[in-house]
Amino acid sequence: MRIILVTGPGGAGRTTLAAATALAEARAGRRVLLVSEDAEPIEGLQNLRPEPGVDFRREFLALQDRSSAALDLLGAAPFEDAELTELPGSRPFALLRALRDAAAGDHDLAVVDLPPLPEALALLALPGQLRRYLRRLLPQERQAARALRPMLAQLAGVPMPAQWLYETTARWEAELAAVQTVVEAPATTVRLVLEPGPGAARALRTARLGLAVQRLALDAVVANRILPAGSEDPWLAGLTAEQHRHLAELRTATDELYELPHLGRAPRGADDLALLAPVRPETAVPVPVPEWTVEDRREEDGVLVWHIPLPGAVKEELSLVRRGDELLLTVGAFRRGVPLPGALRRCTVTGAGLVDGDLRVRFTPDPGLWPRTP
């Protein structure tokens, strides 16, 4: 199944464009699922609406039930469904579960209405980040000792807290891994919706950089609500001219650009959505997922070079730290702990440079760890 994740700055029209994209694909004969918390129901289009409150109560009560023995030991008073209200942070997890459920369906395409751009980038990074934290705080090699816990539980007369803790961790790991697999699948792409204006070029750079750090593909940029040129009204003509200057910047910055007109009103119903169905320009080409490649330059320079594509990055915003078998990469507001490829784990970092959006990290083989050739 193909998945299109739609995001953009707040107010740019991402929910409307997600619905218009889904409707156009459905009318073309494809089986389409629209995942959106805000889109209005559309006749002939199946909609999956994330419900953060319902999702939070279900997960909380399930955790409470699995932990009942330990909670009874502590004298805790359990909650009932009717008295639970969702906590801040519930919404992203509900959307991630909806994304996982959408991928498990039998549709040809799922169009997912993501939150505004900053929250969307954080959301897409969340599964990988949480899995990294779980591995560090509760390493799997320590979990091997849980075979002894049933014996300890019999001696103590109650289940040991560590047992349900590790069971819960294993369940979270499985769920996060499933979501991360969907997010990072080659058939999953991100579509950015912008309204041409002073912040459009900056939002495009932020999106490209944030997605590159997460190794995700930006398949297209939608320039939305474009005003018609040629108005005789001086005020509207001036506003249009300014918008078209920013539109020209976007055309220069990307080849994957859709341009959609301003309808002169808020879209109403399926007929208006049909007018906003993005038509891909003939010059556009599919954008591949950024590849992080290792170049072997041992014969020429005695090093291995790890190429990390970071379009739009600047040297002043870059930071690299080697920690064990990870490279901690910080680019502006984005940070990620990246596992090193096997060959680079036997090397030491000896330098790095940024050339036209390509971060080149140099590794020198450690003689004590590198296999010796006869």
Side-chain angles (χ1 to χ4, degrees):
M1 176 199 290
R2 187 183 176 203
I3 297 178
I4 300 176
L5 309 174
V6 182
T7 185
R14 67 187 188 283
T15 297
T16 299
L17 265 295
T21 300
L23 181 61
E25 296 287 348
R27 288 184 170 179
R30 298 177 181 87
R31 296 171 299 169
V32 182
L33 177 66
L34 174 62
V35 181
S36 176
E37 190 178 347
D38 299 319
E40 295 295 328
I42 302 172
E43 185 178 354
L45 186 63
Q46 187 173 352
N47 180 270
L48 175 60
R49 185 180 297 273
E51 297 180 292
V54 174
D55 185 81
F56 171 78
R57 291 192 294 273
R58 181 180 64 249
E59 293 298 318
F60 184 95
L61 293 173
L63 177 61
Q64 179 177 262
D65 183 63
R66 289 192 296 272
S67 312
S68 59
L71 294 175
D72 290 342
L73 180 64
L74 298 173
F79 285 92
E80 296 181 359
D81 183 286
E83 59 183 314
L84 288 174
T85 56
E86 65 179 284
L87 297 177
S90 303
R91 196 169 301 271
F93 289 98
L95 182 53
L96 287 174
R97 289 193 179 94
L99 176 58
R100 178 201 60 191
D101 294 342
D106 60 352
H107 301 85
D108 301 316
L109 170 70
V111 181
V112 184
D113 176 22
L114 291 183
L117 183 59
E119 293 88 344
L121 293 173
L123 175 76
L124 297 176
L126 187 59
Q129 289 176 331
L130 291 180
R131 292 184 70 198
R132 178 171 175 263
Y133 296 159
L134 288 175
R135 287 194 296 269
R136 286 287 298 276
L137 296 175
L138 296 168
Q140 293 185 350
E141 55 268 22
R142 295 290 182 87
Q143 296 186 38
R146 63 186 177 186
L148 298 176
R149 295 193 183 99
M151 181 187 304
L152 297 176
Q154 290 180 1
L155 294 175
V158 295
M160 301 300 289
Q163 182 175 348
W164 65 259
L165 174 62
Y166 278 110
E167 290 175 351
T168 301
T169 301
R171 177 172 172 269
W172 285 349
E173 163 66 23
E175 290 197 6
L176 290 169
V179 176
Q180 188 176 6
T181 298
V182 174
V183 171
E184 297 180 353
T188 299
T189 57
V190 179
R191 187 161 295 180
L192 181 66
V193 182
L194 300 171
E195 187 169 357
R202 183 172 62 253
L204 175 56
R205 174 181 177 270
T206 299
R208 278 180 165 166
L209 194 54
L211 293 173
V213 170
Q214 298 302 322
R215 303 176 75 168
L216 302 177
L218 178 64
D219 82 329
V221 180
V222 178
N224 194 24
R225 303 189 185 121
I226 298 176
L227 299 170
S231 173
E232 297 181 358
D233 183 289
W235 180 84
L236 183 57
L239 186 63
T240 301
E242 181 181 0
Q243 187 193 60
H244 280 246
R245 283 196 297 270
H246 294 297
L247 180 60
E249 293 179 2
L250 293 176
R251 288 172 178 160
T252 302
T254 178
D255 293 329
E256 302 83 34
L257 188 66
Y258 298 140
E259 299 182 18
L260 297 178
H262 197 303
L263 298 182
R265 61 182 183 278
R268 297 186 295 268
D271 291 340
D272 279 355
L273 288 178
L275 299 175
L276 298 175
V279 178
R280 194 172 184 84
E282 294 181 0
T283 57
V285 296
V287 180
V289 176
E291 292 290 340
W292 296 21
T293 59
V294 177
E295 179 186 6
D296 188 348
R297 296 189 57 85
R298 286 176 295 167
E299 292 187 5
E300 299 91 334
D301 305 318
V303 298
L304 298 168
V305 181
W306 198 12
H307 293 267
I308 301 176
L310 297 174
V314 294
K315 181 180 178 181
E316 292 73 19
E317 297 179 347
L318 269 173
S319 172
L320 291 172
V321 178
R322 167 80 180 269
R323 191 187 188 284
D325 290 338
E326 281 189 329
L327 186 70
L328 304 181
L329 171 64
T330 302
V331 191
F334 306 107
R335 175 177 295 178
R336 184 181 183 187
V338 186
L340 293 174
L344 301 184
R345 297 180 184 183
R346 304 190 297 273
C347 303
T348 56
V349 178
T350 52
L354 182 66
V355 181
D356 296 330
D358 179 29
L359 176 62
R360 302 170 184 179
V361 188
R362 296 185 295 278
F363 292 79
T364 300
D366 185 335
L369 299 176
W370 198 261
R372 298 182 179 180
T373 56

